Amino acid sequence: MLPWSNYLRQSLYNRLLVILLMTIYHDLTGETGGVQAWTYNYSVNQNLDWDSARQWCRQHYTDMVAIQNQEEIVYLNTMLPRNSQYYWIGLRKVNEMWTWMGTNKTLTKEAENWAAGEPNNVGDGQDCVEIYIKRGKDEAKWNDERCTKKKGALCYTASCSEHCCSTHAECLENIGNYTCQCDPGFKGPRCQEAVACDTVSDPDQGSVNCDHPHGLFAFNSSCQFHCARGYQLLGASQLLCQATGFWDHPAAQCQVKQCPSLDSGPHRGTMNCSNPIALHSYNSTCEFSCDLGFDLIGPDRIQCDHTGQWTGNVSTCTVVRCGPLSPPAMGNMSCVDPLGASSFTSSCGFSCEEGYLLRGDINLTCLSTGQWTNHTPACEPLQCDVLTSPPHGSMNCSDLYGQFHYGSQCLFSCEEGFLLNGLADTECTSLGTWSRRAPLCLAQQCDVLTSPSHGSMNCSDLYGQFHYGSQCLFSCEEGFLLNGLADTECTSLGTWSRRAPLCLAQQCDVLTSPSHGSMNCSDLYGQFHYGSQCLFSCEEGFLLNGLADTECTSLGTWSRRAPLCLVRHCPLLVEPWRGWMNCTHPYSPFSYSSHCLLQCNEGFLLTGAPTMHCNALGVWSQDLPSCQVVQCENLLHRLPSPPPTPSSTPPPTLGPSMNCSHSLGEFSFSSLCLFTCSKGYYLNGTEELSCTSEGQWSDLVPSCQRNITSVQESSRMLVYAVVGAASAAGLLLLLGLGMLVAKKLSKKGDFNFENSLWEERENPAFEIS
Ligand SMILES: *[C@@H]1O[C@H](CO)[C@@H](O)[C@H](O)[C@H]1NC(C)=O
Ligand SMILES: *[C@@H]1O[C@H](CO)[C@@H](O)[C@H](O)[C@H]1NC(C)=O
Ligand SMILES: *[C@@H]1O[C@H](CO)[C@@H](O)[C@H](O)[C@H]1NC(C)=O
Ligand SMILES: *[C@@H]1O[C@H](CO)[C@@H](O)[C@H](O)[C@H]1NC(C)=O
Ligand SMILES: *[C@@H]1O[C@H](CO)[C@@H](O)[C@H](O)[C@H]1NC(C)=O
Ligand SMILES: *[C@@H]1O[C@H](CO)[C@@H](O)[C@H](O)[C@H]1NC(C)=O
Ligand SMILES: *[C@@H]1O[C@H](CO)[C@@H](O)[C@H](O)[C@H]1NC(C)=O
Ligand SMILES: *[C@@H]1O[C@H](CO)[C@@H](O)[C@H](O)[C@H]1NC(C)=O
Ligand SMILES: *[C@@H]1O[C@H](CO)[C@@H](O)[C@H](O)[C@H]1NC(C)=O
Ligand SMILES: *[C@@H]1O[C@H](CO)[C@@H](O)[C@H](O)[C@H]1NC(C)=O
Ligand SMILES: CC(=O)N[C@H]1CO[C@H](CO)[C@@H](O)[C@@H]1O
Ligand SMILES: CC(=O)N[C@H]1CO[C@H](CO)[C@@H](O)[C@@H]1O
């Protein structure tokens, strides 16, 4: 059996026999005494086509040469003899690939040893390769040639056997020997030992699971990494221990799954993320909210799931939209849309065609609630303001296009007592305004009235002060009287129904100065009017018969009667007893200027001056003088004082008993004294003495002389007789006197009975005792 075919079979059954070969290796090599070295042979003087050459090599040697390294090439170029046709080598194009026919391996780039410009494939079928041996140029280099060309056959004899190397090596023919060329990942003389890599341990948040076909963490060991939920491998998920003794990748790590980073929140909104592990990674949650006027489209919250995907997209904020607006009929609309048509903050302004009026808001704005601030306004035909009849007036309108619309004309009139304050008509113009203001009806105005002096005015107004309908009432202060009717009224013609009255001071009676006096008046409001005061005074000798002043009161009466000047009276004078007086009275009896002359009757004397004046003070110039009776000598002083008692003895001469009657006073004019003597005495002298008007006794005073005979009885009788006669005479006298009294009374108011009586010179005698 050929070594080559051994080799091939070994390759085929490589996987099955590897363990067996490993165990029998030593025995094989030891017993056979080594493999044969690789030796070259060639056909001498016989050139063959490629197929024939290969067949020859396989028949006599192992196979056609497969050039393997530079050393081998140099060796062949040295060893082989020159052949003008050069030698075929075991390289041929199979399926357009240059293939080592011995090993069925395609030519590697490194192993190429083409001559310059080759392979040039000149002509058809240059599918076989020759080696230039000893060519001088491009020595030992290859050239492609047609396989039918005849060249020397270059053969080799193999020295490898199936036991030369482990199953993890390729037995390479050397020049004269073989070497075990280890498969990658194996080392050792027979390539029986696998190359080891570093040990691999579980990553954080994960685990590793390894398969070790050639020993722990040795060549071809593979490790599979797994990560916890929400984590992902950073690096290759599988590590393979390479032939170099290094893992094909660095050990993987478990990295938290990262969701696509979210740069920012939604436009016009905000995003609020919480990241429990890492930014925008597994279990991160983000919440979305939108600015005012914007609605959230999408979830309000997303989460980074374990696959590294957000549960949703970043929500968007879309502007809140209000319903579309359309311009009103006969109008126009202009919108400003900062955030989109009919959207939040959009605002639309409205206008109307000429002649139309916008009713509603001139400008609408879209609110954050999705509502317009108001309804769309409407354009209504222009209208003038509604007019109403003015107060106290009436209005009469004619309309062309509707009440108070363009063309309407209105006429105004006023009630009686009111006047239009402007023109009577107005018209609704095309601008929707009245051609002029509607007039007002203003009450007729009367003149302004003022309160009368010393009075007041109280007006009641219907339509304004001193206007039509105003009524004014006048009143006067105390002491003043209206000089007319108290009220007046402003008529519809603007005139007062009557003149405003005045307040005139109350008038008192005219005063005149009293006779024998004067008057001095001061006036406040006119002579002898309210407030006037008059002072009265009298001439000398006259007295006011009341208070000196009076005043004109508010009632128009004097506070008191004007006083009179009365002449001053002196005390009434009476004629002195036994006298009389002759008075003159220029003003009044016994008053100022009265003058009296006083005189006394016969037998009487005036004590004092005979004249009396009543002066201005009402005082007589002196006290009233009196008429003193003329005095005679007191006879008692002449007589012996106590008459003798009857029992006593009497002397020869004795004072007479005197019995006097004193009609006017003791021992005065007209006193009559009778003398008598006691029994046994007689009278020496006159029995009777009388006092004359000159104050002399009519005779000498008698005396009594002793008489033996008593004549007491008879003298008493005589006295009785005298008295009886006197009584009879008195009775007669009384009768005449009565007649006289009656006569006197008719002549004089002032009658002194006593005086008159005594004027008659009758002096009745009477007894003192
Ligand atoms: C091969 O060639 C060598 C010399 O190079 C020779 O000794 C040997 O006999 C040859 N083998 C055969 C089988 O011809
Ligand atoms: C060489 O390989 C080709 C295809 O790769 C195959 O068809 C052929 O049979 C092989 N030859 C040998 C001797 O193994
Ligand atoms: C051939 O090679 C093998 C392995 O390299 C070696 O052990 C042996 O001694 C060699 N034989 C000769 C004759 O050189
Ligand atoms: C190493 O692993 C690769 C890929 O799985 C495989 O093709 C190869 O045969 C393995 N080698 C060995 C010696 O196990
Ligand atoms: C974000 O959310 C947290 C928790 O709900 C809250 O405490 C914080 O005030 C929020 N921040 C803002 C800016 O809204
Ligand atoms: C993620 O959130 C879930 C539920 O809120 C919780 O059970 C879990 O422990 C969290 N994971 C981490 C790593 O915080
Ligand atoms: C996120 O937005 C994208 C594109 O905008 C869309 O295709 C996808 O359906 C959205 N996801 C969700 C959960 O709405
Ligand atoms: C609206 O206004 C525009 C610009 O002012 C004007 O040109 C247009 O004629 C108006 N339309 C109406 C209906 O008034
Ligand atoms: C509406 O009114 C607002 C606030 O008064 C103002 O800012 C805006 O300019 C107006 N828009 C129009 C179209 O007149
Ligand atoms: C009184 O006096 C006047 C003149 O003085 C005299 O004329 C008059 O006669 C006298 N009257 C008497 C009664 O004496
Ligand atoms: C008679 C008598 O005596 N007569 C006398 C009266 O008185 C006078 C005088 O007083 C005498 O002279 C008388 O003689
Ligand atoms: C002198 C004198 O008169 N004598 C008288 C005395 O009295 C008698 C009688 O009474 C008288 O007669 C006397 O004459």
Side-chain angles (χ1 to χ4, degrees), residues 15 168 186 214 219-220:
R15 290 173 192 269
H168 304 299
F186 291 89
H214 305 297
F219 173 62
N220 253 16

Side-chain angles (χ1 to χ4, degrees), residues 186-260:
F186 291 89
K187 60 182 182 181
R190 294 185 62 247
C191 303
Q192 75 278 15
E193 187 186 346
V195 172
C197 289
D198 295 335
T199 56
V200 171
S201 53
D202 285 343
D204 187 31
Q205 299 284 347
S207 62
V208 67
N209 190 14
C210 299
D211 176 41
H212 304 291
H214 305 297
L216 279 177
F217 306 113
F219 173 62
N220 253 16
S221 281
S222 66
C223 290
Q224 194 75 35
F225 288 91
H226 297 281
C227 287
R229 183 180 172 86
Y231 288 81
Q232 68 181 1
L233 281 173
L234 178 64
S237 67
Q238 182 171 338
L239 291 191
L240 190 65
C241 185
Q242 299 181 107
T244 57
F246 293 100
W247 294 100
D248 56 350
H249 299 288
Q253 290 175 335
C254 284
Q255 190 186 37
V256 69
K257 281 256 176 74
Q258 202 68 27
C259 279

Side-chain angles (χ1 to χ4, degrees), residues 327-334 351-354:
M330 309 308 287
N332 217 339
M333 177 177 78
S334 164
S351 60
C352 288
E353 282 183 14
E354 205 176 337

